[in-house]
């Protein structure tokens, strides 16, 4: 096996290799978020608060529709990594072929659904009438690029499965530059407004997808994408779906609960929508640092579990948990401490800034708590347990948020009390997930010892 871009996860010291994997992974996620941030910033500065609210109103809906299939791509990552640990080249080839076919089908489904139901869903979300037409335009154009989003995400999952997180970063670095440049041309130069930022994002996604496919066509065996040999392998498809569908359902239901939160925010008007949208960008950047170590834990544990290395799996878990929590906390403090500076990039509307600061105070400051369930869930998926963390997250986070919105908020109204749903749900979910990790990891390691 040629190892030019491959990271040996099965031997040697762990800390350095985890950093080599996680830091480019985090940077890639940040660059993906920059697509949305660039949209929000350019619209907020050069078009106005209504257009800013139109882009912001779509954030959770886009996440709802895309994250299910991104969750399935996690299944591809875990399955291929596990086969690497087992040194099963035939199954690696089959999983690569199956994953890329799945990405294409996923993208077409997203395109059809996203374009078809966008107007109705935005109405159900109580989007203000003055914001709705612009929000629909942005969403429909955005989802024209859905097939390319899926191809990139599944392709990147294949590369990450054997430790290559740098080349996806390089692709997104160029794509992010393209996105920002086209935003400025389409919005400032051509005056296309929200349509311009959506088109710019689509073009950047086309570049990302084409680049990742080109890399896979040039990969050494058994990771090479063979277009003429593309066919689904039943066993690999079932394993990918077994891991990926629960992860996808989890993120979808999670995003679904956030749509109810967004609907409640919409009731406070365009300034609240815009302020929450701006602040949510900082939540995302901090989350991506945490998520990178979750991805590292899942991939490293999957390979080492496949190779039967129990003690190495345990060390991976504790190292990743520490750095996931620490990196998130430090970035939380950075953004909160410099709130005025960072918010100035998006808007000078004082009411929008007020709502953004409230969200940062009630959500951003407590985000580190989410590491307690995000990292443990990633570790369980690396050992093949995907349904259990999905159910816990759905009940502990999603159901609780719905209960909070429908039963607590009427008793304790106000924007601040609405924002409290995030830290409360993180604490509850984290406590349950830690217990689940102890139970199922012992079961998984006992199986290996047999």
């Amino acid at each position: 096996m040629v190892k030019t871009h491959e990271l040996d996860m099965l031997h040697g010291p762990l800390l350095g290799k985890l950093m080599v994997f996680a830091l480019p992974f985090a940077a890639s996620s940040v660059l993906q978020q920059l697509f949305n941030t660039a949209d929000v910033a350019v619209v907020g500065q050069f078009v106005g608060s209504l257009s800013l609210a139109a882009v912001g109103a779509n954030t959770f809906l886009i996440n709802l529709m895309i994250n299910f299939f991104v969750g399935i791509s996690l299944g591809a990552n875990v399955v291929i990594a596990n086969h690497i640990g087992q040194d099963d080249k035939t199954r690696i080839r089959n999983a690569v072929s199956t994953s890329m076919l799945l990405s294409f089908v996923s993208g077409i489904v997203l395109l059809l659904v996203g374009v078809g139901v966008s107007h109705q869903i935005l109405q159900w979300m109580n989007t203000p009438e003055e914001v709705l037409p612009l929000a629909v335009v942005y969403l429909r154009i955005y989802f024209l690029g859905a097939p390319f989003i899926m191809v990139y995400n599944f392709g990147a999952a294949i590369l990450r499965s054997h430790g290559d997180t740098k080349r996806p970063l390089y692709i997104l670095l160029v794509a992010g530059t393209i996105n920002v440049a086209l935003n400025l041309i389409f919005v400032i130069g051509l005056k296309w407004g929200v349509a311009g930022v959506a088109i710019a994002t689509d073009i950047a996604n086309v570049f990302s997808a084409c680049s990742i496919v080109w890399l896979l066509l040039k990969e050494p065996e058994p990771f090479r994408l063979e277009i003429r040999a593309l066919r689904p392998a039943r066993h690999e498809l079932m394993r990918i779906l077994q891991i990926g569908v629960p992860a996808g359902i989890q993120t979808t239901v999670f995003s679904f609960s956030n749509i109810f939160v967004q609907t409640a925010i919409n009731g406070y008007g365009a300034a609240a929508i815009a302020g929450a949208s701006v602040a949510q960008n900082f939540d995302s950047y901090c989350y991506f640092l945490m998520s990178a170590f979750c991805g590292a834990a899942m991939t490293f544990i999957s390979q080492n579990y496949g190779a039967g290395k129990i003690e190495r799996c345990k060390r991976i878990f504790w190292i990743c948990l520490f750095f996931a929590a620490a990196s998130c906390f430090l970035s939380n403090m950075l953004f909160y401490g410099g709130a005025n500076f960072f918010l100035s990039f998006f808007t000078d509307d004082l009411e929008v800034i007020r709502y953004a600061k409230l969200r940062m105070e009630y959500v951003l400051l407590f985000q580190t708590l989410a590491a307690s369930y995000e990292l443990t869930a990633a570790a369980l998926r690396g050992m093949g347990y995907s349904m259990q963390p999905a159910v816990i997250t759905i009940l502990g986070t999603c159901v609780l948020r719905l209960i909070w919105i429908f039963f607590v908020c009427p008793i304790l109204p106000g924007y601040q009390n609405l924002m409290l749903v995030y830290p409360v749900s993180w604490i509850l979910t984290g406590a349950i997930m830690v217990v689940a990790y102890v139970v199922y990891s012992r079961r998984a390691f006992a199986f290996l010892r047999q």
Side-chain angles (χ1 to χ4, degrees):
M1 190 181 295
V2 180
K3 297 182 181 290
T4 307
H5 299 285
E6 194 170 346
L7 186 63
D8 183 1
M9 305 181 192
L10 302 174
H11 309 93
L14 282 167
L15 180 58
K17 292 180 180 180
L18 287 167
M19 291 299 176
V20 168
F21 183 100
L23 294 181
F25 191 0
S28 296
S29 299
V30 167
L31 285 172
Q32 280 189 306
Q33 179 62 23
L34 276 174
F35 286 5
N36 181 259
T37 300
D39 293 350
V40 172
V42 170
V43 167
Q45 291 289 353
F46 299 103
V47 184
S49 294
L50 284 181
S51 294
L52 177 60
V55 175
N58 282 305
T59 300
F60 288 130
L61 181 54
I62 288 171
N63 290 340
L64 170 69
M65 300 180 72
I66 286 182
N67 282 351
F68 175 76
F69 296 102
V70 172
I72 294 177
S73 75
L74 295 180
N77 188 335
V78 170
V79 169
I80 296 172
N82 195 251
H83 291 332
I84 294 171
Q86 297 166 345
D87 196 25
D88 191 332
K89 294 180 176 59
T90 299
R91 286 189 169 179
I92 293 173
R93 294 187 194 96
N94 291 340
V96 168
S97 178
T98 303
S99 298
M100 293 310 293
L101 281 173
L102 197 53
S103 74
F104 180 74
V105 173
S106 300
I108 296 300
V109 171
L110 269 175
L111 187 155
L112 296 176
V113 174
V115 172
V117 304
S118 55
H119 186 274
Q120 185 61 57
I121 293 178
L122 286 167
Q123 283 186 319
W124 289 342
M125 289 174 61
N126 196 31
T127 305
E129 287 297 324
E130 67 272 23
V131 175
L132 182 61
L134 294 172
V136 171
V137 168
Y138 178 83
L139 193 62
R140 285 178 173 169
I141 296 174
Y142 180 93
F143 272 106
L144 291 176
F148 302 100
I149 296 172
M150 289 298 101
V151 167
Y152 171 80
N153 278 284
F154 275 81
I158 292 169
L159 295 180
R160 286 197 299 268
S161 69
H162 59 90
D164 185 1
T165 57
K166 291 182 180 179
R167 290 187 295 171
L169 169 62
Y170 301 151
I171 289 172
L172 287 176
L173 182 61
V174 178
T177 304
I178 292 171
N179 188 54
V180 172
L182 292 180
N183 273 336
L184 298 176
I185 294 171
F186 293 160
V187 175
I188 301 174
L190 300 178
K191 308 296 183 183
W192 287 356
V194 295
V197 294
I199 293 170
T201 300
D202 283 350
I203 293 173
N205 286 326
V206 170
F207 171 83
S208 298
C210 292
S211 299
I212 209 82
V213 168
W214 185 83
L215 289 180
L216 290 172
L217 291 172
K218 302 295 182 180
E219 278 292 275
E221 285 289 346
F223 304 104
R224 183 180 302 144
L225 176 62
E226 301 284 356
I227 299 296
R228 294 180 180 178
L230 274 179
R231 62 180 59 86
R234 184 178 181 277
H235 180 271
E236 306 311 322
L237 177 61
M238 296 307 295
R239 283 292 294 153
I240 290 171
L241 296 179
Q242 183 181 358
I243 300 294
V245 168
I249 292 173
Q250 173 187 318
T251 54
T252 299
V253 176
F254 190 86
S255 298
F256 186 72
S257 70
N258 283 335
I259 282 184
F260 282 91
V261 177
Q262 182 65 51
T263 301
I265 291 172
N266 290 352
Y268 291 94
I273 298 172
S277 173
V278 169
Q280 200 257 339
N281 282 281
F282 305 120
D283 298 354
S284 297
Y285 292 130
C286 299
Y287 173 80
F288 291 144
L289 292 173
M290 180 199 311
S291 180
F293 287 99
C294 294
M298 184 180 69
T299 306
F300 273 69
I301 288 175
S302 184
Q303 278 203 24
N304 282 274
Y305 186 76
K309 299 190 175 187
I310 295 174
E311 293 305 316
R312 196 169 175 87
C313 289
K314 293 178 180 178
R315 293 201 303 274
I316 292 166
F317 172 78
W318 287 110
I319 293 171
C320 289
L321 179 60
F322 173 80
F323 281 101
S327 60
C328 185
F329 176 77
L330 292 175
S331 55
N332 290 157
M333 294 304 102
L334 171 66
F335 287 127
Y336 183 75
N340 288 329
F341 171 76
F342 291 112
L343 292 173
S344 67
F345 286 97
F346 296 89
T347 183
D348 55 5
D349 187 315
L350 294 180
E351 189 67 0
V352 172
I353 291 173
R354 183 176 75 85
Y355 277 108
K357 285 185 173 180
L358 282 173
R359 181 185 171 94
M360 294 174 79
E361 181 178 350
Y362 283 83
V363 179
L364 190 68
L365 281 180
F366 298 96
Q367 191 180 21
T368 307
L369 294 168
S372 61
Y373 74 87
E374 291 283 359
L375 201 286
T376 47
L380 287 172
R381 287 199 174 92
M383 291 181 279
Y385 293 101
S386 189
M387 183 60 72
Q388 293 84 351
V391 171
I392 292 169
T393 303
I394 289 169
L395 294 177
T397 298
C398 307
V399 174
L400 176 63
R401 289 181 184 178
L402 296 181
I403 292 172
W404 189 276
I405 291 168
F406 288 110
F407 296 100
V408 177
C409 286
I411 300 173
L412 300 172
Y415 186 83
Q416 296 94 319
N417 290 329
L418 174 61
M419 293 297 102
L420 278 174
V421 69
Y422 289 101
V424 171
S425 62
W426 290 334
I427 291 170
L428 177 62
T429 308
I432 300 172
M433 195 74 79
V434 167
V435 174
Y437 174 78
V438 172
V439 172
Y440 287 103
S441 63
R442 287 178 178 175
R443 184 179 300 178
F445 296 146
F447 175 78
L448 286 182
R449 293 189 183 102
Q450 292 176 355

